[in-house]
Amino acid sequence: MPLALLALAIGAFGIGTTEFVVMGLLPEVADEFSVSVPTAGWLTTGYALGVFGGAPLLTALGTRVSRKRMLMSLMGLFIAGNVISALAPAFGILLAGRVVASLAHGAFFGIGAVVAAGLVARDKRAGAIAMMFTGLTVANVVGVPGGTLLGQTVGWRATFLAVAAIGVVGLAGVARLVPDLPQTPGEPSSPGATGLRRELAAFLNVQVLLAMGMTVIGFGGVFAAITYIAPMMTEVTGYADSSVTWLLALFGLGMVGGNLIGGRFADRALMPMLYVALSALTATLALFTLTAHSKPAAAVSIFLVGFFGFATVPPLQKRVLDQAAAAPTLASAVNVGAFNLGNALAAWLGGLVISAGLGYTAPNWVGAALAASGLALAFLSARLERRAAGTAGTATASRTVRVAGGSVRHEGSDPRQDLPAIRAEDSAAVAARPTPPRAGRAARRPR
């Protein structure tokens, strides 16, 4: 794999760390600014909403800029947001810093996925996308636990400064290693308003919309359960509070494995990979309602939720790139925002069933229903694709018809184009006929 993928993965590692690490630092932040923990939770909600809104906005604004330069600008914005968060004198400033950092998230992953796919051969694109997203998954294994420990030991401000330093390394890597790739065939030759119109036109493709629907609903099932993993494990399973850290690390390990496997097999059979991953995710989440009552079984379930959940990420992202091939940048970025929209939607639905008194395992059923709905969209997408291919094949076959005399004409073509062939056929027929005697002259008698 090209070294440029390493630079993209480092940037993804920093972004993934800053997205999730705040969940382990909410008590410290709440204490310093004298706000409640639910109020401090807006640092997570605000970030997710910033990702969803920033992805299309910054990608659209960046249509006049080369992808490499845009990636560098986004890393600069990410660094600035984390520095603002680290130095924030008030909670509102901290929240603003989180939103600034989040604006870079969706556009970086969206544009980065396009760049990663362009660095390798066509049959290795999903693997390249998975390599970049490995930075995000490794962040949940190393970055989030490490950042939480640093924040609890030195202070939460040190965590944001450390993440900003990772951003500096990512920026230097992009500047040094990522090439300024030419546009892919089918894209507009120059950026700007024409390019933006081409990018927006991709959203008229029903297959692009279905792929994004799979992202929001199917992948969202993961976070219906994982958002409430701490109370589920402590109140239902019986784990100590200190065990939540390594359980989340186990979830992160599952994410890494699923991401790599999903990328590998999506290059070979994309839709079958989605069928398998979403089916397995649905079954795992449904069973999690029962396995949550056993410590070993719960630990295995957490790993599998991460594994099967993130096995859907490379094929979903590649599906969007394939269906919006002529203008993939905005569609790719919006799809990254769709992942976060799904997370927020699933977390909200999970909270509703808990508030309704159904218990801490109820979000698992919500997650299973969401994953099953994503699977249904995958089958619908494939069916529509097969129907469109069959219709196109029938139309092609019917374009060739035979006309009188054996000449061949394409249906819908100008009949006058067939005149030379018909005339040639008529001439040959006329030449083969016996010539009649001329008027006024008797036919010669045979001797």
Side-chain angles (χ1 to χ4, degrees), residues 22-200:
V22 74
M23 291 187 293
L25 300 175
L26 288 184
E28 287 77 12
V29 172
D31 288 343
E32 177 161 342
F33 291 115
S34 300
V35 297
S36 65
V37 170
T39 299
W42 274 98
L43 298 175
T44 299
T45 305
Y47 188 96
L49 294 176
V51 173
F52 181 68
L57 175 63
L58 289 182
T59 303
L61 292 176
T63 54
R64 295 182 179 274
V65 182
S66 71
R67 286 171 180 154
K68 176 176 180 176
R69 186 175 298 178
M70 191 61 188
L71 287 172
M72 294 172 62
S73 301
L74 291 169
M75 287 309 301
L77 187 64
F78 170 77
I79 294 167
N82 281 283
V83 171
I84 292 172
S85 298
L87 304 178
F91 180 77
I93 303 298
L94 173 57
L95 180 58
R98 291 283 293 167
V99 172
V100 169
S102 72
L103 293 176
H105 184 127
F108 182 88
F109 278 106
I111 297 173
V114 176
V115 172
L119 291 170
V120 297
R122 182 175 295 274
D123 61 343
K124 298 182 182 298
R125 287 183 174 179
I129 295 172
M131 183 62 68
M132 185 193 74
F133 274 86
T134 296
L136 176 63
T137 56
V138 170
N140 285 273
V141 180
V142 179
V144 173
T148 301
L149 180 62
L150 178 64
Q152 292 173 343
T153 305
V154 181
W156 60 267
R157 296 179 187 273
T159 298
F160 286 108
L161 288 176
V163 172
I166 296 172
V168 172
V169 175
L171 173 60
V174 171
R176 179 70 178 86
L177 299 175
V178 174
D180 214 348
L181 295 174
Q183 291 167 313
T184 56
E187 289 187 84
S189 58
S190 60
T194 302
L196 179 57
R197 285 195 295 269
R198 179 73 66 88
E199 296 281 351
L200 290 173

Side-chain angles (χ1 to χ4, degrees), residues 254-357:
M255 292 167 59
V256 173
N259 182 62
L260 294 176
I261 294 296
R264 180 177 180 180
F265 285 95
D267 277 324
R268 302 180 183 180
L270 191 151
M271 293 306 291
M273 182 65 221
L274 273 179
Y275 299 153
V276 171
L278 288 171
S279 297
L281 179 61
T282 300
T284 300
L285 287 168
L287 290 174
F288 199 9
T289 307
L290 303 176
T291 58
H293 297 276
S294 166
K295 288 183 179 180
V300 172
S301 297
I302 290 172
F303 175 85
L304 292 178
V305 168
F307 184 91
F308 292 124
F310 271 76
T312 68
V313 173
L316 284 172
Q317 196 70 8
K318 186 174 184 291
R319 179 73 174 173
V320 170
L321 290 177
D322 289 346
Q323 298 300 324
T329 308
L330 183 59
S332 177
V334 171
N335 196 52
V336 173
F339 280 108
N340 284 267
L341 178 62
N343 297 349
L345 173 65
W348 175 67
L349 292 174
L352 285 181
V353 295
I354 292 175
S355 299

